[in-house]
Every structure is written in structure tokens, then in C-alpha cells.
Amino acid sequence: MIQSVVDLCEVEPGIVQVTMHDRVHKNTFSQELILGLIKTFETIKANLSYRVVILTGYDSYFASGGTKEGLLAMHNSKVKFDDVNVYSLALDCEIPVIAAMQGHGIGGGFIMGLFADFVILGRENVYTTNFMKYGFTPGMGATYILSKKLGFSLAEELLLNAGNYRGAELEKRGIPFPVLPRQEVMAYALELARQVAEKPRISLITLKNHLVTPIREQLPDVIKQEVKMHEMTFHQAEVKERINRLFGK
């Protein structure tokens, strides 16, 4: 199966790779990318031979968060980020997902990767939760999953500061993920996938479900709170100005 900007390929028996490559939009959450990801994970769910997923991007981009049009639509109250759930596709996937972030992870794109069961970062890449740079509070479950995966202190810093952090800097800060040279990320992910795929599928599904059930149960309330914060912060005139200015660069 090949989507226009999302490829699905069984690279080895039981190991399926999902590659995001919306080169026009640099893997921001365009409609093409969102629909491609949703359809791809539906295909994965229907295939009973798959045991592990590798989710990755192209060149120096993993995923880059909201488009200018999408953010302005939220500013104008035309849509909400929870209208379509792309952020927790990896969490909701029955089988384990490896986020091979061989490229930059920006905003919601970084958060989407953190919902995976395994996370691999590149030393040279930028990772940021830059919601507040645009003047609105974080969404997509960022206020929960970032703290869950990185610890409260670092998560609070990333969310409030909204700065850019290279993988090498996050490695020095002690994040609990492998951080490798960009060109080594995919090879590491494939070897990890081989180790996972050796296990029985039903055992992988059963254990993952047990491990992530608390996250799946708590996330809906977090999303509701983030939507409420958006109602207070997203519609400021300054937010629109920031969106236009930052995308104009």
C-alpha cells in the first residue's frame, strides 16, 4: 500500500515501516499527511501478521507539527486539534511502535513520536515543543506525554521555554532514549524491530496493552483540559500575528 505522502512497506517478515514524506509541506500535518497516517494505521490494524512498526520521516525531517493554515483555522475557531486524532496513532496501535526520529521533531510532530513505545533521536536534529512560541498553550497531549517520557522538570522547561533542543543536548540532559548520529538511527531501529518481532504477536499485544492502558485512560481528560486552555489562549490577536510572522520566515 502506498499513500501519496505516506509509504507502508513490510521490510522483513513481521516488521512494517511507515515513512512520512510530504516534501511539499516538510512533514507538517497537512491533510494529505494526516489522512495518509490514519489510513496506514488502519491497514496495519487489519494485518494479523505484523508484529512491530517503525515510524519515520524523510531526509532531515521526522514530523513538523501544524501547518500555517491549520493553526490559523484553530485561531479562527474553525477546527480543534482533537477533531482528528493523529497524535496518538502509535499509542492506539495494538502492536509496538518504534519512532525512528531520524530528522527534526517539531511541536506536535515531536509529541506524536513520543507516544510510540520506543523512541530514537538523532544527535544533529532539533526537537522542540514550540507551541508557546506561537503564543498558545500546548495541545495533542503534550502536557501529559512529555512529562511522562522525559520527567516533569525537563518537560516543564521545554513546554514553557518552547526553545529548540538538539538531540545531543537532550542526551546530555539525561533523556531515557537512544540518541545516535542521524545516519545511524534507522539501522538501530531495524535491529530493535528484529528483537521485538521475535516474540509472539499475541504476547506483544497483551503486554503493550497492559503497559499503556494507564496512558490511554488518562489521555482523554488531558485532551479536554488542553482544549479548554486553547479556548483561552488560541484566539488572541497576538497569536495570529505570531503565526503569520513565524511562518513567514
Side-chain angles (χ1 to χ4, degrees):
M1 171 186 171
I2 299 179
Q3 299 288 345
S4 59
V5 296
V6 180
D7 288 352
L8 176 62
C9 176
E10 188 171 13
V11 293
E12 292 183 11
I15 301 174
V16 61
Q17 180 172 315
V18 177
T19 304
M20 301 175 284
H21 58 95
D22 189 344
R23 295 174 182 271
V24 173
H25 301 97
K26 296 181 178 179
N27 275 1
T28 53
F29 289 141
S30 64
Q31 284 299 308
E32 294 86 356
L33 186 66
I34 291 173
L35 293 176
L37 283 169
I38 291 172
K39 291 179 180 178
T40 296
F41 274 90
E42 288 175 351
T43 300
I44 291 171
K45 183 177 181 179
N47 192 309
L48 302 184
S49 68
Y50 296 156
R51 299 189 179 196
V52 60
V53 179
I54 299 174
L55 176 64
T56 192
Y58 76 94
D59 296 347
S60 61
Y61 292 96
F62 173 69
S64 304
T67 63
K68 178 181 180 180
E69 294 75 17
L71 295 180
L72 288 175
M74 284 191 278
H75 169 76
N76 293 324
S77 300
K78 294 180 179 179
V79 298
K80 296 182 292 184
F81 75 84
D82 63 334
D83 288 344
V84 179
N85 181 1
V86 68
Y87 49 88
S88 65
L89 287 172
L91 176 68
D92 297 334
C93 184
E94 287 186 325
I95 58 177
V97 178
I98 300 167
M101 296 197 212
Q102 86 314 323
H104 306 310
I106 310 298
F110 184 36
I111 295 305
M112 180 178 69
L114 291 181
F115 277 106
D117 305 286
F118 302 91
V119 177
I120 310 163
L121 304 184
R123 288 202 180 109
E124 307 93 324
N125 303 329
V126 169
Y127 302 101
T128 177
T129 51
N130 61 343
F131 305 91
M132 290 286 280
K133 186 174 291 185
Y134 295 94
F136 58 84
T137 49
M140 300 188 69
T143 58
Y144 175 77
I145 200 64
L146 201 69
S147 182
K148 189 79 173 176
K149 293 296 182 77
L150 301 185
F152 177 77
S153 294
L154 183 55
E156 187 178 31
E157 177 182 328
L158 265 66
L159 289 170
L160 287 171
N161 182 38
N164 294 336
Y165 294 74
R166 295 282 177 181
E169 182 178 357
L170 294 176
E171 183 180 28
K172 291 180 181 178
R173 299 289 296 272
I175 65 167
F177 308 135
V179 183
L180 307 170
R182 176 184 294 159
Q183 67 270 19
E184 297 179 15
V185 169
M186 288 306 298
Y188 185 98
L190 182 57
E191 182 55 36
L192 176 59
R194 288 169 178 154
Q195 296 171 16
V196 174
E198 292 175 350
K199 283 70 175 179
R201 175 181 158 90
I202 186 62
S203 299
L204 290 170
I205 292 173
T206 302
L207 180 56
K208 172 172 177 173
N209 183 63
H210 172 74
L211 292 172
V212 304
T213 288
I215 300 177
R216 289 172 175 166
E217 290 178 345
Q218 294 175 52
L219 188 59
D221 285 338
V222 172
I223 297 300
K224 289 179 182 178
Q225 291 299 316
E226 289 182 345
V227 170
K228 288 182 180 178
M229 288 193 294
H230 274 187
E231 291 171 355
M232 293 185 286
T233 66
F234 220 118
H235 310 303
Q236 303 173 77
E238 182 180 350
V239 168
K240 182 177 181 179
E241 186 277 329
R242 284 172 177 257
I243 293 170
N244 285 319
R245 174 166 49 84
L246 290 168
F247 272 93
K249 290 184 177 180

